[in-house]
Amino acid sequence: MSNFFVFLGFQMTLPTIPLFVEKLGGNDQLIGIVVGIFTFSALLLRPYAGRALELKGRRFVFLTGLGIFVLSIGSFGFAKSLLFLFMMRIIQGIGWGFSTTASGTIATDLIPAKRRGEGMGYYGLSGNLALAFGPTLGLALVGVITFTQLFLISSLLGLVALLLSSKIRYKKVEKQTVPLKKWDFYEKSALPPSLLLLFITVTFGGIAAFLPIYSAQKGINGIHWYFLLYAIALMLSRTFAGKIYDQRGHRAVFLPGALLILVSMILLSWLPNSTILYVAAILYGFGFGTVQPALQAWSVKDVAANRRGMANATFFSFFDLGVGIGAILFGQIAHWFGYGAIYSVAALSVLTSILLYLVILRVGRTQNA
């Protein structure tokens, strides 16, 4: 429930911050930077969050992150310049990095190991439900209330998450029998799935930052339906993808899911009408909903209990890096070549992830032999 409310507050700002940047006088390049800098600040803080989860405990990291998130997102409503918004997006990224690293680790603490793929899928439903309502609600509200009121509502939802988080039974901090190394900022075994995720989440940067503007430019209405259909497909995929992962492993889910995302990006680069927009949303939802929980479960599969925090920090750091690179890169691409080119490049990024996965499988077979 806590995860649902913080994600709902976040998702309401997902399609509306680009519109807010436009209102403040920003262009495509500045939209990409404002969206991307948030993920980069989260990226820089996640390794520290992973260490703090093992040293300070889950409660401290989670509550601290939520508190920073509430204050920063509420401040957006009082932004009168792009510089102030830019600074507060950096602070928001710090809170997001701490809170989401902690929540994912708390979930893996609570879920039985044999059902981790299924459990992470169900846990992910809280974020998916928020995604089903958040962007649509944000776009609807921004037409009838001010941006200040919108951001204050988002902040209030984060406050609800903060209050609910006090009811969680947190895992106690275990005494470290082996001291953490000074520069221990990632979990090696989580790198392969995390790297695959990076090339997938590059696509998300293009959708979050530019799809509302792109569809409006092409005269296509119903962008709120895109986010709703995407979220519904995402939720439906969570009901079976995790079970398939638990029974058959990542080989049974990654390639089908990645191929769906690839087709979705190709359709968005074309985008002749609203029907194609909705089909792309459904394909992207099923694809991402299949791939993301499987990769997250894979990233903690062979990790010691006292390294789960660092594994989750590694995983979400690559998630953030992909979104940040995508948002900033696509801002430049939109400026030079137009919005359609964004999704052609995004399709190439997904194809890179697929090819890299095949390389990882081959290396794994060679090592086992």
Side-chain angles (χ1 to χ4, degrees), residues 257-273:
L259 287 171
L260 290 177
I261 297 173
L262 176 63
V263 174
S264 175
M265 292 302 102
I266 294 172
L267 291 178
L268 287 180
S269 69
W270 176 37
L271 199 60
N273 52 52

Side-chain angles (χ1 to χ4, degrees), residues 92-352:
Q92 183 196 10
I94 295 171
W96 189 252
F98 270 93
S99 61
T100 52
T101 302
S103 62
T105 305
I106 293 164
T108 54
D109 287 341
L110 298 173
I111 298 168
K114 291 183 178 179
R115 301 183 67 188
R116 187 160 289 141
E118 180 184 359
M120 290 307 293
Y122 293 143
Y123 162 74
L125 278 173
S126 61
N128 301 152
L129 284 169
L131 179 58
F133 299 107
T136 303
L137 181 60
L139 288 168
L141 287 176
V142 82
V144 295
I145 63 175
T146 65
F147 279 107
T148 298
Q149 292 169 325
L150 174 70
F151 294 135
L152 288 177
I153 291 172
S154 297
S155 180
L156 181 62
L157 291 169
L159 182 61
V160 173
L162 183 61
L163 295 175
L164 286 170
S165 65
S166 64
K167 301 296 183 182
I168 298 172
R169 293 184 179 182
Y170 295 92
K171 174 186 174 183
K172 293 182 179 180
V173 180
E174 297 179 1
K175 186 177 180 180
Q176 297 294 316
T177 55
V178 179
L180 292 176
K181 298 178 182 179
K182 185 176 181 180
W183 301 107
D184 182 19
F185 290 134
Y186 70 95
E187 171 55 44
K188 183 179 179 180
S189 62
L191 286 178
S194 299
L195 189 58
L196 295 173
L197 182 75
L198 182 149
F199 289 102
I200 295 292
T201 55
V202 162
T203 64
F204 199 74
I207 290 171
F210 298 106
L211 190 56
I213 301 171
Y214 176 40
S215 60
Q217 185 193 66
K218 300 201 78 170
I220 296 174
N221 297 319
I223 184 61
H224 57 286
W225 288 110
Y226 174 92
F227 289 105
L228 184 60
L229 291 170
Y230 161 58
I232 292 172
L234 202 66
M235 286 187 286
L236 290 174
S237 70
R238 302 283 191 182
T239 62
F240 61 83
K243 292 180 182 179
I244 295 174
Y245 171 86
D246 289 332
Q247 295 169 0
R248 303 178 61 185
H250 53 77
R251 297 186 185 190
V253 293
F254 179 80
L255 284 178
L259 287 171
L260 290 177
I261 297 173
L262 176 63
V263 174
S264 175
M265 292 302 102
I266 294 172
L267 291 178
L268 287 180
S269 69
W270 176 37
L271 199 60
N273 52 52
S274 57
T275 300
I276 295 300
L277 179 69
Y278 302 152
V279 171
I282 293 169
L283 293 178
Y284 192 74
F286 275 113
F288 198 82
T290 300
V291 167
Q292 191 268 335
L295 291 179
Q296 187 173 3
W298 180 7
S299 70
V300 298
K301 178 175 178 288
D302 298 316
V303 177
N306 69 326
R307 296 287 297 175
R308 285 179 191 158
M310 194 60 71
N312 272 294
T314 302
F315 182 80
F316 283 108
S317 291
F318 278 78
F319 190 115
D320 293 334
L321 185 60
V323 175
I325 289 174
I328 294 174
L329 173 64
F330 293 148
Q332 297 296 326
I333 289 175
H335 181 72
W336 292 330
F337 306 109
Y339 295 114
I342 288 174
Y343 305 98
S344 298
V345 175
L348 290 175
S349 182
V350 179
L351 183 60
T352 300

